Amino acid sequence: YAINPTTRIFLVDWIKVLLNAPGLELISFLPAFLGGLMTFLGDSHKDVRVATHSLLDLLLKEVVRIATLQKGIQSRLEEQMKSLKGRNLPIKKEDGIIIAERKKSLMNAFGTEQQQESQQAPQPIPIDSSETSNTKEQLESSLGDQSDENQIRDGEEYIPGQDVKLNFLDIISILVNNLASSEPEVQLLTLRWIDAILALSPDDIIPFLSKILSHLLKLLSAQDLQISEISHVLNEKLLVLCADYNKTKDDHAIVAYGSIVNGLTLKFFDSDVEAKIACLDWLNLIYRKAPDEILEHNDSMFLTLLKSLSNKDVRLIERALKLLQNLCSMANDKYLRKFLENFLTLLKKDHKLLK
């Protein structure tokens, strides 16, 4: 977080050097300095911005490389484990067959090697039985402690980055904070990072959906065409993610639909048409996924729909009618009665809606 431009370039150059240092795996410490680099993008000196932008591009490529590598390794491991299971060789089993066979093969090799050495030597060298016993125990202990995946990966060549821990949650948290920046360069780079991480680890995006949308909707109509285009693309991808998302595992995050609905209805009234259309797309999706979350926000939902119906934009009216149709077809009589009462009250207050 240095301010001096010379110091900032010095730090950027050093990070570039350390990033290429073999065995250091600097990328595992990315959350510690990513926020500072984003700050450098807002520097008034062009050389600082150019150097920082170049470094952030390198970091993103490295993140993509490592995440892709780890996915490939995990996929191969799962295929190998399924193959072993298909041959009726259970992977996880007390005194399991695989571990037992590996122990047996190694112990046989250990005994054969000793036998060959004794035959080749002109004079037999006495072997301490206690030492041999200890060695065997160490081998058995080390084999017993290995995980199934490590057993399968034994003998494979190590690829730099395959064991790096990428903390996507901390990285996304930093990116979301920078998405609120007023600097177009910061906004554009942040959107590209979020888009890349969405492809690599979509489950980690789920807890930040509400915060991302609160900033993303504003950027849909940004003056910068690049920002506007990538914002629309990212919004569509998030819609698909949420539509297809199912919490199938215990470690998966739960979509906070209530928080998203609150944010959407609040942003609706002070947004332009593009953001309002996106809001209604999200509300329609959430109603299909979790209708109770929509019904619990009666008052704000009434105003959102009624204001949409009074807009001149055809796209906005169509989406409002679609949501209203869904609500009327599935909601109970009490909800419909309340909606009609609010609708008539609004018409009385604003006669322009009758035109």
Side-chain angles (χ1 to χ4, degrees), residues 2 14 27 72 102 108 111 114 170 183-184 197 205 219-220 248 273 286 292 296 310:
W14 260 106
I27 200 70
R102 290 181 60 83
N108 288 338
Q114 284 186 335
D170 286 350
E183 295 289 337
I197 293 177
I205 293 288
L219 302 178
L220 293 175
T248 56
V273 174
I286 293 173
D292 291 340
E296 288 179 2
S310 63

Side-chain angles (χ1 to χ4, degrees), residues 48-100:
V48 176
R49 297 197 302 272
V50 172
T52 304
H53 200 294
S54 175
L55 174 59
L56 286 168
D57 286 342
L58 289 175
L59 290 170
L60 181 57
K61 289 180 181 178
E62 184 67 3
V63 168
V64 173
R65 182 191 72 83
I66 291 174
T68 304
L69 169 66
Q70 292 176 348
K71 277 188 174 181
I73 292 175
Q74 183 63 30
S75 177
R76 290 197 300 272
L77 289 174
E78 291 176 356
E79 289 178 0
Q80 292 176 16
M81 294 172 76
K82 287 180 180 178
S83 176
L84 291 174
K85 288 180 178 179
R87 296 201 300 268
N88 296 323
L89 297 177
I91 300 300
K92 292 184 178 180
K93 185 177 180 182
E94 187 177 358
D95 297 327
I97 299 176
I98 296 176
I99 297 177

Side-chain angles (χ1 to χ4, degrees), residues 214-279:
S214 66
H215 302 302
L216 184 63
L217 295 179
K218 297 179 181 178
L219 302 178
L220 293 175
S221 55
Q223 294 182 351
D224 190 307
L225 291 180
Q226 282 186 302
I227 294 177
S228 177
E229 289 176 1
I230 193 173
S231 296
H232 277 88
V233 171
L234 183 57
N235 182 61
E236 290 298 323
K237 289 182 179 180
L238 291 174
L239 281 167
V240 173
L241 170 66
C242 193
D244 298 338
Y245 186 81
N246 290 311
K247 186 181 180 297
T248 56
K249 298 180 180 179
D250 293 337
D251 57 344
H252 282 193
I254 300 175
V255 181
Y257 291 114
S259 177
I260 296 175
V261 172
N262 277 332
L264 292 174
T265 51
L266 289 175
K267 291 291 181 184
F268 185 88
F269 299 104
D270 59 353
S271 301
D272 55 20
V273 174
E274 292 296 327
K276 288 180 178 178
I277 292 174
C279 283

